[in-house]
Amino acid sequence: MEHLGKSPINWTESDVSAWLNSIGVKEQYIKKLHEEEVDGQTLLTLTDDFLKTAICMKSGPAHLIIQKRDALLNSQRKKQPTSGKSSEMEQKKSVERPRTQEHSEVPLRDKDNSTERQTVPKECVLPSKEDCKPRPFDDEGHDFIYVKHRVLQPESGAFNLISPCHEYKSFAIAATLDRTRLQAKFAKEVFKFATGCMNIRSNGTIHFGVMDSKENEGYVHGEIIGIPVKERDIYVDALDLSEKSFRSDKEQVLQCVRPPRFIEVMDRESTEKRYVVEVDILPLLSIVKNKVYAVRLPNFKEATNKLEFEKEVILRRVGSKTEPVTDKDLGDFYQRVKDRDAQRDEAEKQQFLFAPEICQDLGRKLTMLLTSGKKFIAKDKWFILVTNKFKSVDLSNIDWLLNMNIFCVFDFDPDSKVSGLCSRYLEHHAANMHFLQSYRMPAGMSIKEFTNHLHLFEQTSWIFCNGRSDFIGNETACDEMTWIKTKMTFLRESVFLICKQILPKGTFQVIFLLTSPVEKPLLHTFYEFFTDMEGHEDIICICESEENYLKWQSFAESSCRKDAVNNSSIVGMKMSHINATLQHVQPVKAHVKKHLPVFVKGTCFLETQIEEQMYSLEILTVNHCEESTKEFIKEEKENIERQFYRGGRVTWLNFWLAEHKYVNEVIERDAYYETSKLLNNALKCNIDQTPVNCINIYHHPGSGGSTVARQVLWHNRKDLRCAVVKPYPTSVVAQHAVELREYEEKDHQKCLPVLLLLEDTDKEYLDDLRNELEVAVNIKRIQYGTLCFILLSCRRSHNPERRCKESPLQNVSVTHKLSDQEKRKFAGKLEALKKRYAPEFILTFVLMSEGFSQGYIQDFVKHLLQDIDQKSVVTRLIHYVALLNTYVQNSFISQSHCEALLSLTVHLERFHQHAFESLLSDQAKLVFLHLRDDKTHIESIRIIHPLVAKEILQQLLGDKQTQSRLAMDLLCEEVLFEHRFGREEYQTFLRQLFLRRSRISKGDEYDSFFSPLIEHVCDNEKNPNEAIELLKEAFERFHQDPFFAQQLARLHYTFERFEEAKHWAETAAKQQPNNSYILDTKGQVYRKWFQAKCKAIENEGKPKTAQNTVDAVETALKALECFQECERAAEADMEDVNSSGFFSEVEVGCSLLKLISSLPVFANQTNGHAECMKYLLTDYIPEELDRAWEPFHSRLKKLHNTMQDALEWISEDLSYFQTDIGVEDETHERAEEKISHPLTWLAKKSAEYGKYFSEADSAVLLQQCQTFESKFTPFQKRMIIYYLGGGNIISILSKLTDQKDAARRLEHILTLYPSNPLKAKFTQRDIVNYVAAHISLNCLSPQPQKADPLKELQALCRQFPSDKKKCLPSALFLLTILFWPEDHDTEQERESKFEIVHSAVEHLEKDYWAKMKDIPQRKRRIYTHFFLGNGNGLDKFVHKRKFDKITKGFSVSEKRLKWLSGEAWKSPEIDTMLKRVSGWTEDRVVYLEGPKKRKFNILPLFVPSVPHGNENITFYLGFTFRGPVACNILVKK
C-alpha cells in the first residue's frame, strides 16, 4: 500500500479510501467519503457529528473511524525516523502476524467484531494461493476438475512406492509448438520420468500445465495454470515414439505408462479451455520384475530441423528429481534390482492387508439418529445440511437426501453448482442460490417478510459459504484466514437467525456431511450451531473417512463431551450404504414419478423441480400419495384416521386410504353432490362460457366445508388439473396457475381446465385472482367460450343457507344441521368407529353426528371439566386458547409458546413431543388438537372445535371470573408476548382479538362496531371502563400502535367521553398523519361531540342564542376541518379510495346549517330565512352574532362552496363506479359511517343543501314554480334546482331509477332555467345539469313539451371550454353522447362530430386514470349509464335501468356474471331497444370506422369477449365516464 510510507496529512482521497477499507469500513461509506473529497488533511479534522449528519453514517462505524484515526496519529507521533531496513522488518513482521493468529484457536464468538477487522490490511499480505489435491492416482478423472491458480503439494520423491511421486512441468511454451516439436518435448519428459519411476519401482504422476519452479514471476511451485490443448491425439500419439526410445521392452513400458489424462482447468476470468495433462506410471512387479530400463530420449534439433534420439541412458528417481545412473554406480544399481523387486512386492501386498476391526451397528445407529427413535423419519421435520466437496461416486448415492425436507444447505464447495452436490440436487428439486450475506435481515423487516422474501419455506435455500465458482458476481473462494476475517460474521448472523428466529428447537436437525477433508470454516460452523442450538442433541455428523473425522472430532470435543460427539457421529459408512439404509426408514419411496392428466385423456410426468417452482399451489396429482411406502401406511393409518375424526383437517392421505380400502370411506355430504353438479354444469361446452368460473362453498365454522371442497378436488384429479391455493399474492398464484394449465400441453387452446381451491380467502382476494386470470387468458389469446379455470372458494359463514338462496347457481351451503340421509350415514359410520376408538378420540365426529346440538356440547364440556385443577398452568393455557378460538377465527398458539408458558426445557430433544404431551392434563389432551403448518411444519395447538372452545370458556370462567379479566391476563402474559418463535402469528391473533370487527361479508354472524370481545365487555359485562383499560394496555403492549389509539377514540366517543376521545384521536393522527381512515375517526369524534352539544342545547329548553351555541359551532367547524384533512389524505393515497370524508363533510354541513337557521335571529322573523342567506352568502353580519361568533364568520361564509364541492366530488365519484355497494364490496379498513345506498343519499342531501340555501318550501316550489320564477336571482334558482334534485348529474340520472313523480320534477327544474339558454351566461355545471335534465326527461316521457331538440343541446354544449383540459368529466361525457354521429349525417357533419367525440374521449381517459390511481382492477368497474338505441335525436339514448328487470332478483355478482357471459344480452327486449354497431378487430383491439376511413378505438367492456383473430364484428355501444365501450361483441357470420 503506497500510503503506508506517507504521513496521513499527505494522503490523497484514494489513500484514505484504501485505509478505510483496511480497517473494515463498509464500501457504501467509503464511496460516500470519496465523493465528498475527503483526503488526508480532511481526515484529521473529521468529527463524529459530521460523519453521522453529512455522510448519514451509523454510530458504530463513525466511532470506529475516529478511534482508528486517533490511534494512527498517536503511533505516527511515537515513531522515530527509521531506515529503509527497519521499515522492511516491520513489513516482514506484519506478513508473519496472521500465522501466529492461525494457531490461537480462540472461538471467534468471544472476540469483538471490531477486533476481527483490526487485522493487517489485505494489501500488506502476500497473496496466498489455495492448496488442492491431485487427481486420485490411476483414476480416469472424468468428474475431476482443477481450478486455475490452486497449488498442488510440492514435487516429491519415492515414499512407499505405492503413493505416487510427482513431477510438474509448466509446458507453457512447449504447448504452443507445432505437432512434431510438441510431441518430441512431451515424449522426452514422460519417458524420462517413467524410466526413473520404473527403475526404482515407484508409482508416479507427471503433470503438464503445473508450475515447476519459482523462477516464473508471480507463480508459485505447484501452481495449476493449465495448457491449451487443441488436439488430444497429439499427446496420445506422442507415446508412439516409444518404438524408437525403447529398444526391446517397449510393450512393457507402455503397460506401465498409462495414457495421458486431460483434466480441465476452470478459470472464471477466461473463456479459453485449458487442461492439466497427466500421465500415471504404474510399474507393477509382474511387468518390471528383474528389469532395468534404458531409454533414448527424443529431441528435436533446431540445427538440423529434425527429430533425433539421444544416446541411451539408464535413469532413476533421486528425491524429487530424475537423474541418470552414473557409470560408477551402474554395477551396484544392477545388483540391487532384486532388493527393489522385493520392496515392491511387499508394498503391493501391504496395499490390501488390513486387519478387520470389530464394527458397531452403524445402520441402526444412523436410523435411530434420523428417526429420533421412531420407525420413520418424520414427514414434516426440517433438515439443515452442512457439507463440503462431494466425490463424484457419492453423487450417485444421494436419493436419501432427495426425499428429505431440506430447509437449507451450508455448502463449502465453491464448485457445487458446477460439478458438486448442488448440481445433482437441482436435477430433482428447485433451490434458491444464496450467500451467507443473503441472511442479513434488513432493518424494519419482519421475520415473516424475510422468510417470504427468500422463499425459505417453499424451496431449499442453497447457501454458498465460501464462494461460488460459476457466479459472475464477486463471490470467490478464499483461504481459511481470509474466510474467518470476511465471512465469519455473516455465518454467525445466518445461523443465529435460523436457530433463534425462524425454526423452533426440536423442529429441525443439522447434518454435517463431511465428504472431503475438514477445514476451519466448517469447524466454526459447527461451533455456531452448537452454541445457538444450545447443545449437540440435534446435530449429526456423517463422515466416511476416519482421517477426515479426526480433525472434526478433536474440535467438537472442545465444546461438548466425547461420548456425545461419538454418539451423534456415523464414521466409516459409505454413501451407497447410507443411501440404502435410510431409504428403508423414509415415509416416501425414491424416484416416484407424479402424473398429471392431459387434454387428450392420457397423463404426463410432473417433474418435482417444476412442481416446486409453482410454490404458490399445492398440486394434486393423479397418483397422489402413492409415493408413501407400505410400511409407513401400515404403521400410520390409524393415527391419520383418528386425527381427522378428532377434528383435524382432512388430508389427501385420508382419501387415499379410503380409496385403497385401508380404512372405511369418508362420508360424502349432500353438499359434495351439489358442488359436483355445479362443477359438471360448468364443464359442459357453452359458447357463452366465461374463461374463469367460480363456485362458492359457504359453511358453518367446523361443519366440514373444507372436507367437501377437498373431496371435490380428489374425485376430479384424474380429469382436471387440481390444486389448492396457498397464501401468496394473486399475481404469483395466477402465474403458477397458467403454468400448471399449460404444462406439457402442445396447444394452449386445448388444455384441461384448472380447478383451484381457495380456503378462507376474502372476496377481494377472489376478485383479484379472477381478474389476474382473466387478464392472463386474454394475453394468451384463448378462444372465447373456453373454460380455463374454476375457482372453488370455501369460506366461513354464519348463515350459509342465505348465501345459497342469494345465488343458487354459484353457491353451496354446508351447515351443522344434517339432512335425514346424512344422519343415516353418520349414525352408521359412528357405530363402526366406536368399535375401534373410544368416543373421546373421535370427538368432532361424535359432535357432528349430534348435529352440534347445544345441549350435547354443554354436557360434554361439563363432564370434561369435572375435577380440573383451576390453579394449574395447563388450565391457564386452556383458558387462553379457548378465548382466542372463541373470538379469532382460525387462531392457534404455537407449541413453542405453550412450552415457554409451561417452562418446558427438554434436554433430550429427540423425545421432545412426548415430553410436551406428558405435561398436559387429561382435559387438555382431550380438547387440544395438534396442528402442523403446511408451509413451515411448525406445530401449534387449538381446541378441537370453535363451539367447544366457546362452551369451555363459559363454563371455566363461571360466575366468578370475567372474559375481560382473562383477556387482560393474556395481554400481560410476558412469556407468551415476548416469545420469539411464531411471534408474528401470535401477535396478529392478539391484535385481532381487540381490533377485528365482525363482518357478515367475512363469514361472521353480524356486523359489529368494535371487536366482538370489546362489545361483549361493554354489553354483556356492562363494563365499558374495563374495555377502555384493555385497549389502553394493548396500546402500550403493541408499542403505542396508532390503530389501538383509533379504537380508543371510537370507544370513548361511543360513551360520550369526548375529551378522552379527542386525546386518543390526536395520538393516532400524530403517528399516522396521512392515514385517511384515522383522520376520519378524528373527524367523527368532533362530529359526535357536535351532535351531543346540539342535543344538550335542545334538552336545556332555553332559547338558542349566539352565546350558548358558540361551543357547538366551533366543534362543527373543527369536524369539517378534520374531514377536509381526511379528503386530502384520501386523494393523495394512490392505493385506496376512501370517500368517507366527503360524505361526512356534507352530513356535518347540513347539521350545522340546521343549527344556524334555528337561531331566533333567523327563525323568528318574517324574513328570517333571507337574513340567514344574507349572512352566509354576503359580507353582512347580524349584530347579535358579531362578537360571539367573531372567529367563525369567514369559515361559515365559505360553507355553501365547500359543501357544493363535496357534493360534486361524490356525484363525480358515483359517475365512474358501480353505484350499488354489494354485501361483499367493503374495504378492509372501513370508514366509521358506511353509506349503503349512495345514490339515494346524494339525492336526499343535495335536496337538503338546496333547501337551506333557497327561499321557499317544497309545496310552493312544486305548485307555483312559474309564478315565482321572475322573482328569483340566478343563485336562488340554482339552489331551488338543487332542492328539486337537479344540482348534479348523478342526482338527475337517479331520477330514472326512482321514477315516482320524476318527470314532473324534471319539468319544474327545466322551467327554472332561462327561456333562451344559449344567451344565458351558464357555468359549465349549469350546462351539464341542464342537458342531463333534458336527456333524462326524454327517457322518462319521450314526447315532453319542455325538452329541447338534440341540435339545441349540441349548440349549448359548444359553449364548453375549447381547451378540453378545463372541461369537467361530466361535460366530456355529454359531448361523447350528444355528438355521436347519426346515420343521416353528411360527411362534413360526421367529421366535425368525430373530432369533438375523439377529443372528449382522449381527455376522459386521462381523467379516468387520474381518478383510478393504483387501486386494484376489481375496484375499477366502470359504470355504463346509456346505450345507443334504435331511435333518432334524443330517443337514441337508452338508459341502463330500462332493461334492469332482465336480471331482477339476482345478486350483484350474479347480475355481473350474466351480463359478462352474454346470457342477459340475448333478451328480445334488448334487441328491440338497442342498435348493433359494426366494427372490426385488429390484434384484439376493437375499432369503428370514422370519417375518411379513420380508425376509432373502442374499449371492450369485457376483454375476453374480443376475438383473437382479425374479425368483422358487431356490438352494442355503451357510454361511460371513460368513453364509449363495446358490449356483447359478436363475430359477423
Side-chain angles (χ1 to χ4, degrees), residues 348-363:
E348 285 183 12
K349 284 176 184 169
Q350 282 292 325
Q351 196 178 350
F352 306 107
L353 284 179
F354 289 106
E357 289 178 16
I358 296 165
C359 184
Q360 57 176 314
D361 187 345
L362 288 181

Side-chain angles (χ1 to χ4, degrees), residues 1069-1082:
K1070 205 172 183 178
Q1071 290 188 53
Q1072 293 258 349
N1074 300 317
N1075 184 311
S1076 63
Y1077 294 96
I1078 282 177
L1079 294 171
D1080 179 53
T1081 300
K1082 189 179 169 187

Side-chain angles (χ1 to χ4, degrees), residues 1002-1055:
K1002 305 286 184 195
D1004 297 315
E1005 206 167 346
Y1006 60 96
D1007 283 334
S1008 70
F1009 198 57
F1010 295 102
S1011 82
L1013 172 69
I1014 296 297
E1015 293 209 336
H1016 170 87
V1017 177
C1018 292
D1019 302 341
N1020 296 33
E1021 295 181 13
K1022 303 280 187 283
N1023 197 344
N1025 288 337
E1026 192 58 37
I1028 287 168
E1029 287 309 311
L1030 271 174
L1031 286 175
K1032 279 183 181 176
E1033 182 61 37
F1035 173 71
E1036 292 301 334
R1037 256 265 170 253
F1038 284 91
H1039 313 296
Q1040 304 198 332
D1041 185 308
F1043 294 104
F1044 283 100
Q1046 182 190 21
Q1047 291 305 306
L1048 277 161
R1050 298 174 68 248
L1051 191 55
H1052 278 102
Y1053 77 58
T1054 304
F1055 292 97

Side-chain angles (χ1 to χ4, degrees), residues 1452-1468:
V1452 175
S1453 52
E1454 273 200 326
K1455 276 183 192 174
R1456 181 171 177 264
L1457 205 64
K1458 284 188 173 296
W1459 288 114
L1460 293 183
S1461 69
E1463 190 186 327
W1465 294 105
K1466 291 177 181 172
S1467 153

Side-chain angles (χ1 to χ4, degrees), residues 6 39 218 389 393 641 795 842 846 1063 1248 1378 1394 1491:
K6 300 187 213 172
D39 57 12
K389 202 167 193 71
V393 65
E641 186 181 35
R795 295 163 66 194
I842 49 168
V846 175
H1063 161 74
E1248 205 174 317
L1378 294 176
F1394 178 82

Side-chain angles (χ1 to χ4, degrees), residues 529-574:
F529 272 110
F530 178 79
T531 309
D532 286 332
M533 290 170 72
E534 297 163 22
H536 194 282
E537 298 87 11
D538 271 333
I539 300 176
I540 301 167
C541 170
I542 300 175
C543 186
E544 186 181 337
S545 157
E546 289 198 37
E547 189 185 331
N548 291 343
Y549 178 69
L550 287 172
K551 187 173 180 183
W552 160 271
Q553 187 184 28
S554 60
F555 182 84
E557 283 173 9
S558 67
S559 305
C560 49
R561 297 187 327 275
K562 185 173 184 174
D563 61 327
V565 176
N566 289 336
N567 289 342
S568 294
S569 301
I570 304 293
V571 186
M573 202 170 182
K574 287 176 70 175

Side-chain angles (χ1 to χ4, degrees), residues 174-193:
T176 61
L177 299 173
D178 60 47
R179 189 184 186 95
T180 312
R181 288 179 172 82
L182 191 154
Q183 284 185 330
K185 178 72 175 158
F186 181 71
K188 179 180 179 179
E189 297 297 348
V190 171
F191 294 155
K192 181 179 174 183
F193 177 73

